[in-house]
Amino acid sequence: MSSARRTDQRPAAAHVADSHDLIRVHGARENNLKDVSIEIPKRRLTVFTGVSGSGKSSLVFNTIAAESQRLINETYSAFVQGFMPTLARPEVDVLDGLTTAIIVDQQRMGADPRSTVGTATDANAMLRILFSRLGDPHIGPPSAYSFNTASVRASGAITVERGNKKAVKATYERTGGMCANCEGRGQVSDIDLSQLYDDSKSLAEGAFTIPGWKSDSQWTVQVYAQSGFVDPDKPIREYTKKELRDFLYGEPVKVKVNGVNLTYEGLIPKIQKSFLSKDKEAMQPHIRAFVERAVTFTTCPECDGTRLSEGARSSRIGKISIADACATEIRDLAEWVRGLDEPSVAPLLTALRDTLDSFVEIGLGYLSLDRPAGTLSGGEAQRVKMIRHLGSSLTDTTYVFDEPTIGLHPHDIQRMNDLLLRLRDKGNTVLVVEHKPETIAIADHVVDLGPGAGTAGGTVCFEGTVEGLRAGGTVTGRHLDDRATLKETVRKPTGTLEIRDATTHNLQGVDVDVPLGVLCVVTGVAGSGKSSLIHGSVPAGADVVSVDQSPIKGSRRSNPATYTGLLDPIRKAFAKANGVKPALFSANSEGACPTCNGAGVIYTDLAMMAGVATPCEDCEGKRFQPSVLEYHLGGRDISEVLAMSVARAEEFFGGGQARIPAAHKILERLADVGLGYLTLGQPLTTLSGGERQRLKLATHMGDKGGVYVLDEPTTGLHLADVEQLLGLLDRLVDAGKSVIVIEHHQAVMAHADWIIDLGPGAGHDGGRIVFEGTPADLVADRSTLTGEHLAAYVGG
């Protein structure tokens, strides 16, 4: 191997191609951004900070990353673009120096009940190939080990179009790994018929109690009533055996209802297709509540919850089947794969080892590949998405992260920081939206947005180094070195919630008394069993209000006023004051502008090009018919009310002609959780993750519960907002509530009355109580990882 010798040792003049070292943004106006202009250095780690709602996501995700993705999509042919999501150009004057953007966000993974950690990554695909090559007995190709593939057998005549056409007999067979009993879900369902209908009534009298099934108009109900299989005027309990069998289990057949051809199907298979084939977490709350009432899920007796057919479970490598491999913790599975020595599949083993090692390196070694993807927290989902990028050979790429430290114990944050720095050191631009001081501290460049949230934000308050931020006097700079102090006195419990022999997931027969009437914090490293202990053991009864991290369901028509139920008393007050129907004051009902159907904008679909949204000319974006806007309450029409901020509306509905106590109470709760800057009509789709969780908390604060269970309420909260959250938790406890918080934030731990620490590690190394007591005792003891980090945080 030879190489050319360089004789000219003089320094070369800078090449013009090396001058593009900045991403330039000029005049960004997405959402609440106010003509933002910044320059971001390439191949550096830039952290974007600012209070929740200050415009960080609007700048990073909706402007820089969105334009990069849009430009890349445009390089494909029109045919390919037709299959891709269409993206509109962001509201910005100039975007220069962009590189390919890879977005690693917190969106939950897999709404499909068959989606697991293994199927969401490449791990399951590689395992299936491995078992199809080395498994004994050999049962077939990789599809024979897939629980998403059903076995198919068919035979018949086919016509071959070659020369003389002739029919030949052919058979077709495909071996799949799906368990036929549970169809690859691992669970079977048992339906409580008393929750589907009232058997003392007839169909004509409205026997169905299923949400949305109304006797008079609903097509589904009409199919049953007019099918001819049952008597619609006879109470269901008086059906003959044949009628009841047809009603509950009838095969699909075509029937004519009011001159329209429709399909009749038994009630049980209908419910299974309508409700049970969908992910429970993606359902609307009232539908989910119905499914939880009506359906009990039990582990499939045939596959024992593995989702796989008997053939797939019988094929083994050594003593391990693919079901065993998927149920094993990933760090143990990585060791098993490392012990396999088979030259014929050496490249596959290397790739599988690298993938499994990436799980361990990123702190997810405690997961198993058969863990349903929908059960991962936002932080876990984000780290799973990171795995495919860790070993990537791509450089000069822009990686965009949305609070990558969410759900991480302080012990794990250093590991995440190392990964971010490793991506940067490979020559990539790393953009991180983050609140944690530990991650802000490693930034090469910081952009601080604010000064406030919503309309009070959207400007760049600081741009420069971390040291410059500390001295800059911005809200973030002032709070960067904030440290909570331990309370001198803690509250005394008024009772206890006994948990005995808890074994959910990795819990190892845990016995613990959770104190009531105080602020109790449950902590421990990610995967130690905190959520399993509280969500799995605290009964979700009428007295327990649980605010978890599941995403808010809502379209661009949903807003804080509709989500919190605030709009109902407002509509009734408008209707009463003007002597008209409440439906007129809904943009989703009779009062909607007929041109834009109450959306306020007209969406024009341009096929493979980005669609265009233009404000409706008839209602000028107000969403209501002109006649509706003639009705006033307290001198304001309904569109003006929806344009108010929470703080302004709280004042407006607090007294005078527009006094509405029910609305004022909801607005007070929204202000309590720090959402006073939100406008009532702002679409839910434009809210940040932290705003959505606090909106959910404000909604549940009205519930009549004695025990509040909060799952990482500091998610998405700025350092300055954590103090307000602590004040809110104190007010809940002082009002006689019991508050149990699953949390990693040291400020919340220091503020607690009682701490329950799980660990010592994650997965099978966790699931035990390693400390119970006051924060002061934990700091003095320093016997656990949490104790060490809390002591360092409070300077103990």
Side-chain angles (χ1 to χ4, degrees), residues 648-675:
R648 174 74 189 90
E650 186 184 0
E651 187 184 315
F652 180 72
F653 291 116
Q657 293 179 327
R659 184 174 177 274
I660 309 174
H664 189 255
K665 191 176 281 187
I666 294 172
L667 290 162
E668 275 183 329
R669 291 201 290 265
L670 287 169
D672 276 347
V673 296
L675 295 177

Side-chain angles (χ1 to χ4, degrees), residues 370 424 448 599 670 688:
D370 63 0
R424 178 203 66 185
D448 189 22
L670 287 169
S688 68

Side-chain angles (χ1 to χ4, degrees), residues 768-790:
R768 296 190 291 276
I769 303 289
V770 291
F771 177 84
E772 287 180 83
T774 65
D777 291 342
L778 180 60
V779 168
D781 199 28
R782 295 198 191 195
S783 59
T784 69
L785 283 171
T786 305
E788 288 174 21
H789 284 278
L790 186 58

Side-chain angles (χ1 to χ4, degrees), residues 182-442:
C182 64
E183 297 184 356
R185 293 190 182 92
Q187 291 182 317
V188 289
S189 55
D190 186 22
I191 297 174
D192 180 358
L193 298 180
S194 67
Q195 296 292 336
L196 306 185
Y197 55 78
D198 179 351
D199 67 358
S200 66
K201 293 181 180 178
S202 67
L203 296 184
E205 293 171 329
F208 286 119
T209 54
I210 303 165
W213 287 35
K214 298 237 171 66
S215 293
D216 49 356
S217 59
Q218 226 269 351
W219 274 106
T220 311
V221 178
Q222 290 299 311
V223 169
Y224 286 99
Q226 301 184 35
S227 63
F229 291 106
V230 295
D231 182 350
D233 298 313
K234 186 199 290 187
I236 294 175
R237 65 171 57 155
E238 294 176 13
Y239 284 0
T240 63
K241 280 187 179 178
K242 182 178 185 311
E243 281 180 318
L244 196 60
R245 189 175 62 248
D246 287 339
F247 177 60
L248 294 177
Y249 303 105
E251 294 285 326
V253 290
K254 290 288 181 192
V255 294
K256 192 162 272 193
V257 177
N258 297 335
V260 179
N261 282 325
L262 296 170
T263 302
Y264 172 88
E265 187 174 25
L267 186 61
I268 299 296
K270 182 79 175 174
I271 292 294
Q272 286 172 332
K273 286 179 185 173
S274 303
F275 297 102
L276 304 191
S277 61
K278 296 171 184 168
D279 177 37
K280 212 162 57 169
E281 295 306 313
M283 294 174 179
Q284 291 175 294
H286 71 289
I287 302 288
R288 185 162 67 242
F290 160 72
V291 171
E292 286 168 353
R293 277 196 322 271
V295 184
T296 52
F297 291 95
T298 54
T299 301
C300 174
E302 287 196 15
C303 67
D304 199 24
T306 62
R307 305 162 179 256
L308 291 158
S309 64
E310 188 180 351
R313 301 195 307 275
S314 68
S315 180
R316 297 174 180 270
I317 300 175
K319 295 180 178 177
I320 302 294
S321 70
I322 191 168
D324 300 330
C326 289
T328 304
E329 285 194 11
I330 289 173
R331 55 188 165 193
D332 297 332
L333 181 61
E335 287 302 315
W336 177 73
V337 171
R338 201 168 277 112
L340 294 176
D341 183 20
E342 182 59 53
S344 63
V345 289
L348 179 66
L349 286 172
T350 303
L352 181 56
R353 269 197 303 266
D354 289 346
T355 298
L356 296 175
D357 286 344
S358 293
F359 272 100
V360 177
E361 185 182 7
I362 210 164
L364 294 176
Y366 60 87
L367 294 179
S368 58
L369 295 181
D370 63 0
R371 169 88 173 259
T375 65
L376 298 180
S377 69
E380 286 171 332
Q382 187 171 31
R383 282 179 282 153
V384 167
K385 292 175 195 172
M386 277 183 77
I387 284 164
R388 64 182 64 241
H389 305 304
L390 292 182
S392 171
S393 302
L394 289 172
T395 60
D396 258 335
T397 300
T398 299
Y399 285 93
V400 186
F401 291 95
D402 186 6
E403 294 185 55
T405 59
I406 276 185
L408 285 185
H409 189 270
H411 174 69
D412 299 316
I413 290 178
Q414 184 57 49
R415 182 186 279 167
M416 177 59 70
N417 285 350
D418 292 341
L419 292 171
L420 295 173
L421 292 171
R422 218 171 82 197
L423 283 173
R424 178 203 66 185
D425 294 344
K426 283 169 62 177
N428 297 304
T429 305
V430 182
L431 308 181
V432 182
V433 173
E434 188 54 86
H435 293 295
K436 291 277 174 66
E438 298 96 323
T439 302
I440 296 172
I442 65 166

